[in-house]
Amino acid sequence: MLENDIKTLAASGEKGLIELVMASHAGMTTDEFEQIVTDWLATAKHPKFKRPYTELVYQPMLDMLQYLRDNGFKTFIVSGGGIEFMRPFTEKVYGIPPEQVIGSSIKTKFEMRNGRPVLVREPEIFFIDDKAGKPVGIQKFIGRRPIAAFGNSDGDLQMLQWTTAGKGKRFGLIVHHTDSEREWAYDRKSHVGRLSEALDQAQTKGWVVVDMKRDWKVIYPFQRE
Amino acid sequence: MLENDIKTLAASGEKGLIELVMASHAGMTTDEFEQIVTDWLATAKHPKFKRPYTELVYQPMLDMLQYLRDNGFKTFIVSGGGIEFMRPFTEKVYGIPPEQVIGSSIKTKFEMRNGRPVLVREPEIFFIDDKAGKPVGIQKFIGRRPIAAFGNSDGDLQMLQWTTAGKGKRFGLIVHHTDSEREWAYDRKSHVGRLSEALDQAQTKGWVVVDMKRDWKVIYPFQRE
């Protein structure tokens, strides 16, 4: 990363990214880390869209979350991303409170600093919430099997399998990024967010596959204007 | 345990108990384990009270939980006990759904058995939600600092410290088991549920200490009859 080798970093996947953040922020308290995330989100802008990252959310996803909650569902985020990175913005952006956000995380340690209790980030992985780790994380953090699951990569394969193997009616959906103009187009050959095996299994398992280019009139909220 | 040495087991604390259940149930799926817990709870009775364990809950605790929820609070259980042991009954007994129950747990592994996805219990500890582990667990599973925390042993000390060190108004409470007739009386010398350091700190920290014998008119719901 110091040599600006983004390709190698990308190839290292979720685990590589977690390890990078882990090493760079060890020794920091969780409160300090949250402040860094909050400050970064308030100022950083996406190089292509020139907008804050918190505006680059999918309108159809927001609609779906609202629709589910209006019908008595409780909604969760189950991401391979860092849990402490997501929680500061998920309630405002997705209407999902911190305790309903599951993700990868590093170990933390309770200690007293200047007579005050703090939680300190340690340079060790606690949990990787990706691939076969997703159903494990769901069981650990939520404690019951979802009725419906939505994914967009092979990192979601086991979560979709676990969810739709439950008794009674279940629902699985995959968003296929097919829109190189309005967003991006990638699937089987991508280093980040590869979508291949899950796409194949969608056919036999009866999971809905959303073709972004064909099926989504609007992608980002600001495009409604 | 095979030699019926309950004292040694008790002295081994939460960790010893977790390790026992861990060893005895490794290889089992999470669904199978949940069934065992459910069956046991439906039939087992407490030797002293001759009632199911799910009836041996504290009425003042139920009242407090209801009072908090009626006033817009979200209630959680943060216990040193096994998470997979508690979740099958907490919603019915305490009105707290599985995803709001935090506890100790063993590692689980996703795998396919006869073409169906299962989560298998492994003989390895994932997380001990006790003592300094409680604030860590709160941060990992809930992701925000509680407004109020209620405990009854030194296992809750760091949770009380972490909670009441937050900005703004916070509340800490300790239930002191002082009623040898209606329940039990124990504190500084007990192997299980020792309450000593937290009792001392309650004075300086301003945590409320409930004296069970003096303060609770009713202990169990069935005593209201």
mmCIF file with all atom_site columns, all heavy atoms in Angstrom, chain A residues 74 84 87 99-100 106 116 139-140 142 144 165, chain B residues 74 84 87 99-100 106 116 139-140 142 144 165:
data_model
loop_
_atom_site.group_PDB
_atom_site.id
_atom_site.type_symbol
_atom_site.label_atom_id
_atom_site.label_alt_id
_atom_site.label_comp_id
_atom_site.label_asym_id
_atom_site.label_entity_id
_atom_site.label_seq_id
_atom_site.pdbx_PDB_ins_code
_atom_site.Cartn_x
_atom_site.Cartn_y
_atom_site.Cartn_z
_atom_site.occupancy
_atom_site.B_iso_or_equiv
_atom_site.pdbx_formal_charge
_atom_site.auth_seq_id
_atom_site.auth_comp_id
_atom_site.auth_asym_id
_atom_site.auth_atom_id
_atom_site.pdbx_PDB_model_num
ATOM 1   N N   . LYS A 1 74  ? -37.489 -6.910  10.118 1.00 0.00 ? 74  LYS A N   1
ATOM 2   C CA  . LYS A 1 74  ? -36.375 -6.205  10.742 1.00 0.00 ? 74  LYS A CA  1
ATOM 3   C C   . LYS A 1 74  ? -35.218 -6.347  9.750  1.00 0.00 ? 74  LYS A C   1
ATOM 4   O O   . LYS A 1 74  ? -34.919 -7.453  9.293  1.00 0.00 ? 74  LYS A O   1
ATOM 5   C CB  . LYS A 1 74  ? -36.042 -6.901  12.063 1.00 0.00 ? 74  LYS A CB  1
ATOM 6   C CG  . LYS A 1 74  ? -35.234 -6.082  13.037 1.00 0.00 ? 74  LYS A CG  1
ATOM 7   C CD  . LYS A 1 74  ? -35.324 -6.699  14.440 1.00 0.00 ? 74  LYS A CD  1
ATOM 8   C CE  . LYS A 1 74  ? -34.497 -5.939  15.448 1.00 0.00 ? 74  LYS A CE  1
ATOM 9   N NZ  . LYS A 1 74  ? -34.666 -6.496  16.814 1.00 0.00 ? 74  LYS A NZ  1
ATOM 10  N N   . GLU A 1 84  ? -16.774 -1.476  12.283 1.00 0.00 ? 84  GLU A N   1
ATOM 11  C CA  . GLU A 1 84  ? -16.584 -0.171  12.927 1.00 0.00 ? 84  GLU A CA  1
ATOM 12  C C   . GLU A 1 84  ? -16.522 0.954   11.886 1.00 0.00 ? 84  GLU A C   1
ATOM 13  O O   . GLU A 1 84  ? -16.595 2.129   12.235 1.00 0.00 ? 84  GLU A O   1
ATOM 14  C CB  . GLU A 1 84  ? -15.289 -0.162  13.772 1.00 0.00 ? 84  GLU A CB  1
ATOM 15  C CG  . GLU A 1 84  ? -15.204 -1.299  14.741 1.00 0.00 ? 84  GLU A CG  1
ATOM 16  C CD  . GLU A 1 84  ? -15.365 -0.864  16.204 1.00 0.00 ? 84  GLU A CD  1
ATOM 17  O OE1 . GLU A 1 84  ? -15.894 0.222   16.457 1.00 0.00 ? 84  GLU A OE1 1
ATOM 18  O OE2 . GLU A 1 84  ? -14.943 -1.633  17.071 1.00 0.00 ? 84  GLU A OE2 1
ATOM 19  N N   . ARG A 1 87  ? -20.833 1.223   10.984 1.00 0.00 ? 87  ARG A N   1
ATOM 20  C CA  . ARG A 1 87  ? -21.823 1.635   11.982 1.00 0.00 ? 87  ARG A CA  1
ATOM 21  C C   . ARG A 1 87  ? -22.031 3.138   12.155 1.00 0.00 ? 87  ARG A C   1
ATOM 22  O O   . ARG A 1 87  ? -23.140 3.570   12.449 1.00 0.00 ? 87  ARG A O   1
ATOM 23  C CB  . ARG A 1 87  ? -21.499 0.975   13.334 1.00 0.00 ? 87  ARG A CB  1
ATOM 24  C CG  . ARG A 1 87  ? -21.944 -0.471  13.344 1.00 0.00 ? 87  ARG A CG  1
ATOM 25  C CD  . ARG A 1 87  ? -21.487 -1.201  14.589 1.00 0.00 ? 87  ARG A CD  1
ATOM 26  N NE  . ARG A 1 87  ? -22.182 -2.463  14.740 1.00 0.00 ? 87  ARG A NE  1
ATOM 27  C CZ  . ARG A 1 87  ? -21.793 -3.435  15.566 1.00 0.00 ? 87  ARG A CZ  1
ATOM 28  N NH1 . ARG A 1 87  ? -20.721 -3.269  16.301 1.00 0.00 ? 87  ARG A NH1 1
ATOM 29  N NH2 . ARG A 1 87  ? -22.482 -4.552  15.646 1.00 0.00 ? 87  ARG A NH2 1
ATOM 30  N N   . GLU A 1 99  ? -26.647 -1.843  15.985 1.00 0.00 ? 99  GLU A N   1
ATOM 31  C CA  . GLU A 1 99  ? -26.753 -3.220  16.466 1.00 0.00 ? 99  GLU A CA  1
ATOM 32  C C   . GLU A 1 99  ? -27.315 -4.172  15.413 1.00 0.00 ? 99  GLU A C   1
ATOM 33  O O   . GLU A 1 99  ? -27.322 -5.381  15.615 1.00 0.00 ? 99  GLU A O   1
ATOM 34  C CB  . GLU A 1 99  ? -27.596 -3.274  17.754 1.00 0.00 ? 99  GLU A CB  1
ATOM 35  C CG  . GLU A 1 99  ? -29.046 -2.875  17.591 1.00 0.00 ? 99  GLU A CG  1
ATOM 36  C CD  . GLU A 1 99  ? -29.278 -1.375  17.759 1.00 0.00 ? 99  GLU A CD  1
ATOM 37  O OE1 . GLU A 1 99  ? -28.316 -0.591  17.634 1.00 0.00 ? 99  GLU A OE1 1
ATOM 38  O OE2 . GLU A 1 99  ? -30.438 -0.993  17.998 1.00 0.00 ? 99  GLU A OE2 1
ATOM 39  N N   . GLN A 1 100 ? -27.769 -3.638  14.273 1.00 0.00 ? 100 GLN A N   1
ATOM 40  C CA  . GLN A 1 100 ? -28.229 -4.509  13.197 1.00 0.00 ? 100 GLN A CA  1
ATOM 41  C C   . GLN A 1 100 ? -27.258 -4.508  12.018 1.00 0.00 ? 100 GLN A C   1
ATOM 42  O O   . GLN A 1 100 ? -27.619 -4.824  10.897 1.00 0.00 ? 100 GLN A O   1
ATOM 43  C CB  . GLN A 1 100 ? -29.641 -4.094  12.767 1.00 0.00 ? 100 GLN A CB  1
ATOM 44  C CG  . GLN A 1 100 ? -30.688 -4.521  13.789 1.00 0.00 ? 100 GLN A CG  1
ATOM 45  C CD  . GLN A 1 100 ? -31.984 -3.747  13.739 1.00 0.00 ? 100 GLN A CD  1
ATOM 46  O OE1 . GLN A 1 100 ? -32.478 -3.261  14.772 1.00 0.00 ? 100 GLN A OE1 1
ATOM 47  N NE2 . GLN A 1 100 ? -32.541 -3.606  12.567 1.00 0.00 ? 100 GLN A NE2 1
ATOM 48  N N   . ILE A 1 106 ? -11.763 -6.501  14.064 1.00 0.00 ? 106 ILE A N   1
ATOM 49  C CA  . ILE A 1 106 ? -10.523 -6.848  14.736 1.00 0.00 ? 106 ILE A CA  1
ATOM 50  C C   . ILE A 1 106 ? -10.812 -7.039  16.227 1.00 0.00 ? 106 ILE A C   1
ATOM 51  O O   . ILE A 1 106 ? -11.888 -6.683  16.702 1.00 0.00 ? 106 ILE A O   1
ATOM 52  C CB  . ILE A 1 106 ? -9.454  -5.752  14.536 1.00 0.00 ? 106 ILE A CB  1
ATOM 53  C CG1 . ILE A 1 106 ? -10.056 -4.366  14.751 1.00 0.00 ? 106 ILE A CG1 1
ATOM 54  C CG2 . ILE A 1 106 ? -8.802  -5.811  13.184 1.00 0.00 ? 106 ILE A CG2 1
ATOM 55  C CD1 . ILE A 1 106 ? -10.196 -3.920  16.121 1.00 0.00 ? 106 ILE A CD1 1
ATOM 56  N N   . ARG A 1 116 ? -9.965  6.306   32.932 1.00 0.00 ? 116 ARG A N   1
ATOM 57  C CA  . ARG A 1 116 ? -11.203 6.124   32.173 1.00 0.00 ? 116 ARG A CA  1
ATOM 58  C C   . ARG A 1 116 ? -11.176 4.830   31.377 1.00 0.00 ? 116 ARG A C   1
ATOM 59  O O   . ARG A 1 116 ? -10.164 4.500   30.766 1.00 0.00 ? 116 ARG A O   1
ATOM 60  C CB  . ARG A 1 116 ? -11.421 7.285   31.204 1.00 0.00 ? 116 ARG A CB  1
ATOM 61  C CG  . ARG A 1 116 ? -11.878 8.577   31.882 1.00 0.00 ? 116 ARG A CG  1
ATOM 62  C CD  . ARG A 1 116 ? -12.139 9.668   30.842 1.00 0.00 ? 116 ARG A CD  1
ATOM 63  N NE  . ARG A 1 116 ? -13.248 9.307   29.964 1.00 0.00 ? 116 ARG A NE  1
ATOM 64  C CZ  . ARG A 1 116 ? -14.530 9.519   30.277 1.00 0.00 ? 116 ARG A CZ  1
ATOM 65  N NH1 . ARG A 1 116 ? -14.844 10.079  31.415 1.00 0.00 ? 116 ARG A NH1 1
ATOM 66  N NH2 . ARG A 1 116 ? -15.488 9.175   29.437 1.00 0.00 ? 116 ARG A NH2 1
ATOM 67  N N   . GLN A 1 139 ? -25.518 -16.322 12.517 1.00 0.00 ? 139 GLN A N   1
ATOM 68  C CA  . GLN A 1 139 ? -25.882 -17.136 13.683 1.00 0.00 ? 139 GLN A CA  1
ATOM 69  C C   . GLN A 1 139 ? -25.361 -16.518 14.982 1.00 0.00 ? 139 GLN A C   1
ATOM 70  O O   . GLN A 1 139 ? -26.063 -16.474 15.986 1.00 0.00 ? 139 GLN A O   1
ATOM 71  C CB  . GLN A 1 139 ? -25.329 -18.566 13.494 1.00 0.00 ? 139 GLN A CB  1
ATOM 72  C CG  . GLN A 1 139 ? -25.571 -19.512 14.646 1.00 0.00 ? 139 GLN A CG  1
ATOM 73  C CD  . GLN A 1 139 ? -27.014 -19.955 14.746 1.00 0.00 ? 139 GLN A CD  1
ATOM 74  O OE1 . GLN A 1 139 ? -27.820 -19.704 13.862 1.00 0.00 ? 139 GLN A OE1 1
ATOM 75  N NE2 . GLN A 1 139 ? -27.353 -20.601 15.851 1.00 0.00 ? 139 GLN A NE2 1
ATOM 76  N N   . LYS A 1 140 ? -24.130 -16.007 14.938 1.00 0.00 ? 140 LYS A N   1
ATOM 77  C CA  . LYS A 1 140 ? -23.526 -15.428 16.144 1.00 0.00 ? 140 LYS A CA  1
ATOM 78  C C   . LYS A 1 140 ? -24.184 -14.112 16.542 1.00 0.00 ? 140 LYS A C   1
ATOM 79  O O   . LYS A 1 140 ? -24.487 -13.891 17.705 1.00 0.00 ? 140 LYS A O   1
ATOM 80  C CB  . LYS A 1 140 ? -22.040 -15.133 15.912 1.00 0.00 ? 140 LYS A CB  1
ATOM 81  C CG  . LYS A 1 140 ? -21.148 -16.337 15.896 1.00 0.00 ? 140 LYS A CG  1
ATOM 82  C CD  . LYS A 1 140 ? -20.590 -16.629 17.273 1.00 0.00 ? 140 LYS A CD  1
ATOM 83  C CE  . LYS A 1 140 ? -19.864 -17.964 17.277 1.00 0.00 ? 140 LYS A CE  1
ATOM 84  N NZ  . LYS A 1 140 ? -20.784 -19.111 17.265 1.00 0.00 ? 140 LYS A NZ  1
ATOM 85  N N   . ILE A 1 142 ? -26.994 -12.441 15.025 1.00 0.00 ? 142 ILE A N   1
ATOM 86  C CA  . ILE A 1 142 ? -28.450 -12.295 14.925 1.00 0.00 ? 142 ILE A CA  1
ATOM 87  C C   . ILE A 1 142 ? -29.143 -13.447 15.663 1.00 0.00 ? 142 ILE A C   1
ATOM 88  O O   . ILE A 1 142 ? -30.123 -13.247 16.365 1.00 0.00 ? 142 ILE A O   1
ATOM 89  C CB  . ILE A 1 142 ? -28.913 -12.240 13.454 1.00 0.00 ? 142 ILE A CB  1
ATOM 90  C CG1 . ILE A 1 142 ? -28.176 -11.124 12.712 1.00 0.00 ? 142 ILE A CG1 1
ATOM 91  C CG2 . ILE A 1 142 ? -30.430 -12.064 13.375 1.00 0.00 ? 142 ILE A CG2 1
ATOM 92  C CD1 . ILE A 1 142 ? -28.514 -11.007 11.228 1.00 0.00 ? 142 ILE A CD1 1
ATOM 93  N N   . ARG A 1 144 ? -30.797 -15.983 14.469 1.00 0.00 ? 144 ARG A N   1
ATOM 94  C CA  . ARG A 1 144 ? -31.848 -16.722 13.761 1.00 0.00 ? 144 ARG A CA  1
ATOM 95  C C   . ARG A 1 144 ? -31.644 -16.601 12.258 1.00 0.00 ? 144 ARG A C   1
ATOM 96  O O   . ARG A 1 144 ? -30.978 -15.687 11.789 1.00 0.00 ? 144 ARG A O   1
ATOM 97  C CB  . ARG A 1 144 ? -33.235 -16.258 14.168 1.00 0.00 ? 144 ARG A CB  1
ATOM 98  C CG  . ARG A 1 144 ? -33.470 -14.788 14.190 1.00 0.00 ? 144 ARG A CG  1
ATOM 99  C CD  . ARG A 1 144 ? -34.912 -14.528 14.599 1.00 0.00 ? 144 ARG A CD  1
ATOM 100 N NE  . ARG A 1 144 ? -35.116 -13.217 15.163 1.00 0.00 ? 144 ARG A NE  1
ATOM 101 C CZ  . ARG A 1 144 ? -36.312 -12.779 15.577 1.00 0.00 ? 144 ARG A CZ  1
ATOM 102 N NH1 . ARG A 1 144 ? -37.372 -13.560 15.472 1.00 0.00 ? 144 ARG A NH1 1
ATOM 103 N NH2 . ARG A 1 144 ? -36.442 -11.580 16.082 1.00 0.00 ? 144 ARG A NH2 1
ATOM 104 N N   . ALA A 1 165 ? -32.236 -22.222 2.519  1.00 0.00 ? 165 ALA A N   1
ATOM 105 C CA  . ALA A 1 165 ? -32.407 -23.620 2.932  1.00 0.00 ? 165 ALA A CA  1
ATOM 106 C C   . ALA A 1 165 ? -33.316 -23.729 4.151  1.00 0.00 ? 165 ALA A C   1
ATOM 107 O O   . ALA A 1 165 ? -33.655 -24.832 4.585  1.00 0.00 ? 165 ALA A O   1
ATOM 108 C CB  . ALA A 1 165 ? -31.047 -24.254 3.239  1.00 0.00 ? 165 ALA A CB  1
ATOM 109 N N   . LYS B 1 74  ? -34.376 0.231   23.965 1.00 0.00 ? 74  LYS B N   1
ATOM 110 C CA  . LYS B 1 74  ? -34.228 -1.101  23.390 1.00 0.00 ? 74  LYS B CA  1
ATOM 111 C C   . LYS B 1 74  ? -33.477 -1.914  24.440 1.00 0.00 ? 74  LYS B C   1
ATOM 112 O O   . LYS B 1 74  ? -32.448 -1.457  24.950 1.00 0.00 ? 74  LYS B O   1
ATOM 113 C CB  . LYS B 1 74  ? -33.406 -0.976  22.099 1.00 0.00 ? 74  LYS B CB  1
ATOM 114 C CG  . LYS B 1 74  ? -33.515 -2.143  21.156 1.00 0.00 ? 74  LYS B CG  1
ATOM 115 C CD  . LYS B 1 74  ? -33.026 -1.734  19.768 1.00 0.00 ? 74  LYS B CD  1
ATOM 116 C CE  . LYS B 1 74  ? -33.077 -2.887  18.787 1.00 0.00 ? 74  LYS B CE  1
ATOM 117 N NZ  . LYS B 1 74  ? -32.686 -2.452  17.427 1.00 0.00 ? 74  LYS B NZ  1
ATOM 118 N N   . GLU B 1 84  ? -26.101 -19.593 22.715 1.00 0.00 ? 84  GLU B N   1
ATOM 119 C CA  . GLU B 1 84  ? -27.002 -20.554 22.056 1.00 0.00 ? 84  GLU B CA  1
ATOM 120 C C   . GLU B 1 84  ? -27.907 -21.263 23.069 1.00 0.00 ? 84  GLU B C   1
ATOM 121 O O   . GLU B 1 84  ? -28.867 -21.916 22.693 1.00 0.00 ? 84  GLU B O   1
ATOM 122 C CB  . GLU B 1 84  ? -26.187 -21.614 21.287 1.00 0.00 ? 84  GLU B CB  1
ATOM 123 C CG  . GLU B 1 84  ? -25.172 -21.039 20.339 1.00 0.00 ? 84  GLU B CG  1
ATOM 124 C CD  . GLU B 1 84  ? -25.547 -21.211 18.881 1.00 0.00 ? 84  GLU B CD  1
ATOM 125 O OE1 . GLU B 1 84  ? -26.720 -21.455 18.588 1.00 0.00 ? 84  GLU B OE1 1
ATOM 126 O OE2 . GLU B 1 84  ? -24.632 -21.099 18.035 1.00 0.00 ? 84  GLU B OE2 1
ATOM 127 N N   . ARG B 1 87  ? -30.771 -17.952 23.741 1.00 0.00 ? 87  ARG B N   1
ATOM 128 C CA  . ARG B 1 87  ? -31.641 -17.440 22.681 1.00 0.00 ? 87  ARG B CA  1
ATOM 129 C C   . ARG B 1 87  ? -32.951 -18.196 22.470 1.00 0.00 ? 87  ARG B C   1
ATOM 130 O O   . ARG B 1 87  ? -33.953 -17.570 22.103 1.00 0.00 ? 87  ARG B O   1
ATOM 131 C CB  . ARG B 1 87  ? -30.858 -17.336 21.378 1.00 0.00 ? 87  ARG B CB  1
ATOM 132 C CG  . ARG B 1 87  ? -29.959 -16.124 21.384 1.00 0.00 ? 87  ARG B CG  1
ATOM 133 C CD  . ARG B 1 87  ? -29.065 -16.071 20.161 1.00 0.00 ? 87  ARG B CD  1
ATOM 134 N NE  . ARG B 1 87  ? -28.450 -14.754 20.021 1.00 0.00 ? 87  ARG B NE  1
ATOM 135 C CZ  . ARG B 1 87  ? -27.413 -14.515 19.239 1.00 0.00 ? 87  ARG B CZ  1
ATOM 136 N NH1 . ARG B 1 87  ? -26.852 -15.476 18.537 1.00 0.00 ? 87  ARG B NH1 1
ATOM 137 N NH2 . ARG B 1 87  ? -26.924 -13.297 19.155 1.00 0.00 ? 87  ARG B NH2 1
ATOM 138 N N   . GLU B 1 99  ? -31.583 -11.607 18.544 1.00 0.00 ? 99  GLU B N   1
ATOM 139 C CA  . GLU B 1 99  ? -30.523 -10.700 18.075 1.00 0.00 ? 99  GLU B CA  1
ATOM 140 C C   . GLU B 1 99  ? -30.158 -9.654  19.123 1.00 0.00 ? 99  GLU B C   1
ATOM 141 O O   . GLU B 1 99  ? -29.180 -8.934  18.947 1.00 0.00 ? 99  GLU B O   1
ATOM 142 C CB  . GLU B 1 99  ? -30.922 -10.039 16.753 1.00 0.00 ? 99  GLU B CB  1
ATOM 143 C CG  . GLU B 1 99  ? -32.139 -9.116  16.824 1.00 0.00 ? 99  GLU B CG  1
ATOM 144 C CD  . GLU B 1 99  ? -33.460 -9.851  16.614 1.00 0.00 ? 99  GLU B CD  1
ATOM 145 O OE1 . GLU B 1 99  ? -33.492 -11.084 16.752 1.00 0.00 ? 99  GLU B OE1 1
ATOM 146 O OE2 . GLU B 1 99  ? -34.468 -9.168  16.324 1.00 0.00 ? 99  GLU B OE2 1
ATOM 147 N N   . GLN B 1 100 ? -30.907 -9.578  20.220 1.00 0.00 ? 100 GLN B N   1
ATOM 148 C CA  . GLN B 1 100 ? -30.557 -8.657  21.297 1.00 0.00 ? 100 GLN B CA  1
ATOM 149 C C   . GLN B 1 100 ? -30.015 -9.410  22.523 1.00 0.00 ? 100 GLN B C   1
ATOM 150 O O   . GLN B 1 100 ? -30.038 -8.898  23.639 1.00 0.00 ? 100 GLN B O   1
ATOM 151 C CB  . GLN B 1 100 ? -31.767 -7.787  21.648 1.00 0.00 ? 100 GLN B CB  1
ATOM 152 C CG  . GLN B 1 100 ? -32.002 -6.703  20.591 1.00 0.00 ? 100 GLN B CG  1
ATOM 153 C CD  . GLN B 1 100 ? -33.400 -6.151  20.558 1.00 0.00 ? 100 GLN B CD  1
ATOM 154 O OE1 . GLN B 1 100 ? -34.030 -6.098  19.489 1.00 0.00 ? 100 GLN B OE1 1
ATOM 155 N NE2 . GLN B 1 100 ? -33.923 -5.746  21.689 1.00 0.00 ? 100 GLN B NE2 1
ATOM 156 N N   . ILE B 1 106 ? -18.994 -20.601 21.323 1.00 0.00 ? 106 ILE B N   1
ATOM 157 C CA  . ILE B 1 106 ? -17.927 -21.397 20.713 1.00 0.00 ? 106 ILE B CA  1
ATOM 158 C C   . ILE B 1 106 ? -17.890 -21.082 19.212 1.00 0.00 ? 106 ILE B C   1
ATOM 159 O O   . ILE B 1 106 ? -18.788 -20.439 18.683 1.00 0.00 ? 106 ILE B O   1
ATOM 160 C CB  . ILE B 1 106 ? -18.171 -22.907 20.926 1.00 0.00 ? 106 ILE B CB  1
ATOM 161 C CG1 . ILE B 1 106 ? -19.633 -23.267 20.660 1.00 0.00 ? 106 ILE B CG1 1
ATOM 162 C CG2 . ILE B 1 106 ? -17.782 -23.331 22.327 1.00 0.00 ? 106 ILE B CG2 1
ATOM 163 C CD1 . ILE B 1 106 ? -20.028 -23.462 19.289 1.00 0.00 ? 106 ILE B CD1 1
ATOM 164 N N   . ARG B 1 116 ? -27.163 -30.242 2.250  1.00 0.00 ? 116 ARG B N   1
ATOM 165 C CA  . ARG B 1 116 ? -27.815 -29.116 2.940  1.00 0.00 ? 116 ARG B CA  1
ATOM 166 C C   . ARG B 1 116 ? -26.800 -28.335 3.772  1.00 0.00 ? 116 ARG B C   1
ATOM 167 O O   . ARG B 1 116 ? -25.965 -28.935 4.445  1.00 0.00 ? 116 ARG B O   1
ATOM 168 C CB  . ARG B 1 116 ? -28.934 -29.626 3.858  1.00 0.00 ? 116 ARG B CB  1
ATOM 169 C CG  . ARG B 1 116 ? -30.192 -30.040 3.122  1.00 0.00 ? 116 ARG B CG  1
ATOM 170 C CD  . ARG B 1 116 ? -31.274 -30.464 4.111  1.00 0.00 ? 116 ARG B CD  1
ATOM 171 N NE  . ARG B 1 116 ? -31.723 -29.349 4.945  1.00 0.00 ? 116 ARG B NE  1
ATOM 172 C CZ  . ARG B 1 116 ? -32.627 -28.456 4.571  1.00 0.00 ? 116 ARG B CZ  1
ATOM 173 N NH1 . ARG B 1 116 ? -33.174 -28.542 3.383  1.00 0.00 ? 116 ARG B NH1 1
ATOM 174 N NH2 . ARG B 1 116 ? -32.986 -27.485 5.372  1.00 0.00 ? 116 ARG B NH2 1
ATOM 175 N N   . GLN B 1 139 ? -19.538 -3.659  22.409 1.00 0.00 ? 139 GLN B N   1
ATOM 176 C CA  . GLN B 1 139 ? -19.045 -2.911  21.251 1.00 0.00 ? 139 GLN B CA  1
ATOM 177 C C   . GLN B 1 139 ? -19.166 -3.736  19.965 1.00 0.00 ? 139 GLN B C   1
ATOM 178 O O   . GLN B 1 139 ? -19.574 -3.232  18.931 1.00 0.00 ? 139 GLN B O   1
ATOM 179 C CB  . GLN B 1 139 ? -17.591 -2.490  21.505 1.00 0.00 ? 139 GLN B CB  1
ATOM 180 C CG  . GLN B 1 139 ? -16.918 -1.751  20.362 1.00 0.00 ? 139 GLN B CG  1
ATOM 181 C CD  . GLN B 1 139 ? -17.428 -0.323  20.198 1.00 0.00 ? 139 GLN B CD  1
ATOM 182 O OE1 . GLN B 1 139 ? -18.156 0.182   21.041 1.00 0.00 ? 139 GLN B OE1 1
ATOM 183 N NE2 . GLN B 1 139 ? -17.063 0.296   19.095 1.00 0.00 ? 139 GLN B NE2 1
ATOM 184 N N   . LYS B 1 140 ? -18.832 -5.026  20.043 1.00 0.00 ? 140 LYS B N   1
ATOM 185 C CA  . LYS B 1 140 ? -18.866 -5.887  18.861 1.00 0.00 ? 140 LYS B CA  1
ATOM 186 C C   . LYS B 1 140 ? -20.298 -6.158  18.396 1.00 0.00 ? 140 LYS B C   1
ATOM 187 O O   . LYS B 1 140 ? -20.600 -6.086  17.220 1.00 0.00 ? 140 LYS B O   1
ATOM 188 C CB  . LYS B 1 140 ? -18.223 -7.248  19.178 1.00 0.00 ? 140 LYS B CB  1
ATOM 189 C CG  . LYS B 1 140 ? -16.734 -7.220  19.263 1.00 0.00 ? 140 LYS B CG  1
ATOM 190 C CD  . LYS B 1 140 ? -16.106 -7.532  17.918 1.00 0.00 ? 140 LYS B CD  1
ATOM 191 C CE  . LYS B 1 140 ? -14.605 -7.323  17.968 1.00 0.00 ? 140 LYS B CE  1
ATOM 192 N NZ  . LYS B 1 140 ? -14.235 -5.891  17.979 1.00 0.00 ? 140 LYS B NZ  1
ATOM 193 N N   . ILE B 1 142 ? -23.404 -4.898  19.730 1.00 0.00 ? 142 ILE B N   1
ATOM 194 C CA  . ILE B 1 142 ? -24.396 -3.824  19.753 1.00 0.00 ? 142 ILE B CA  1
ATOM 195 C C   . ILE B 1 142 ? -23.864 -2.597  19.013 1.00 0.00 ? 142 ILE B C   1
ATOM 196 O O   . ILE B 1 142 ? -24.578 -1.950  18.265 1.00 0.00 ? 142 ILE B O   1
ATOM 197 C CB  . ILE B 1 142 ? -24.787 -3.451  21.208 1.00 0.00 ? 142 ILE B CB  1
ATOM 198 C CG1 . ILE B 1 142 ? -25.302 -4.702  21.951 1.00 0.00 ? 142 ILE B CG1 1
ATOM 199 C CG2 . ILE B 1 142 ? -25.839 -2.344  21.215 1.00 0.00 ? 142 ILE B CG2 1
ATOM 200 C CD1 . ILE B 1 142 ? -25.650 -4.465  23.413 1.00 0.00 ? 142 ILE B CD1 1
ATOM 201 N N   . ARG B 1 144 ? -22.883 0.284   20.179 1.00 0.00 ? 144 ARG B N   1
ATOM 202 C CA  . ARG B 1 144 ? -22.971 1.591   20.843 1.00 0.00 ? 144 ARG B CA  1
ATOM 203 C C   . ARG B 1 144 ? -23.012 1.390   22.349 1.00 0.00 ? 144 ARG B C   1
ATOM 204 O O   . ARG B 1 144 ? -23.354 0.315   22.835 1.00 0.00 ? 144 ARG B O   1
ATOM 205 C CB  . ARG B 1 144 ? -24.152 2.411   20.361 1.00 0.00 ? 144 ARG B CB  1
ATOM 206 C CG  . ARG B 1 144 ? -25.465 1.697   20.283 1.00 0.00 ? 144 ARG B CG  1
ATOM 207 C CD  . ARG B 1 144 ? -26.516 2.688   19.796 1.00 0.00 ? 144 ARG B CD  1
ATOM 208 N NE  . ARG B 1 144 ? -27.666 2.049   19.200 1.00 0.00 ? 144 ARG B NE  1
ATOM 209 C CZ  . ARG B 1 144 ? -28.712 2.712   18.737 1.00 0.00 ? 144 ARG B CZ  1
ATOM 210 N NH1 . ARG B 1 144 ? -28.742 4.013   18.800 1.00 0.00 ? 144 ARG B NH1 1
ATOM 211 N NH2 . ARG B 1 144 ? -29.736 2.070   18.205 1.00 0.00 ? 144 ARG B NH2 1
ATOM 212 N N   . ALA B 1 165 ? -19.394 5.501   32.186 1.00 0.00 ? 165 ALA B N   1
ATOM 213 C CA  . ALA B 1 165 ? -18.357 6.468   31.798 1.00 0.00 ? 165 ALA B CA  1
ATOM 214 C C   . ALA B 1 165 ? -18.757 7.233   30.540 1.00 0.00 ? 165 ALA B C   1
ATOM 215 O O   . ALA B 1 165 ? -18.049 8.152   30.112 1.00 0.00 ? 165 ALA B O   1
ATOM 216 C CB  . ALA B 1 165 ? -17.018 5.766   31.585 1.00 0.00 ? 165 ALA B CB  1
#
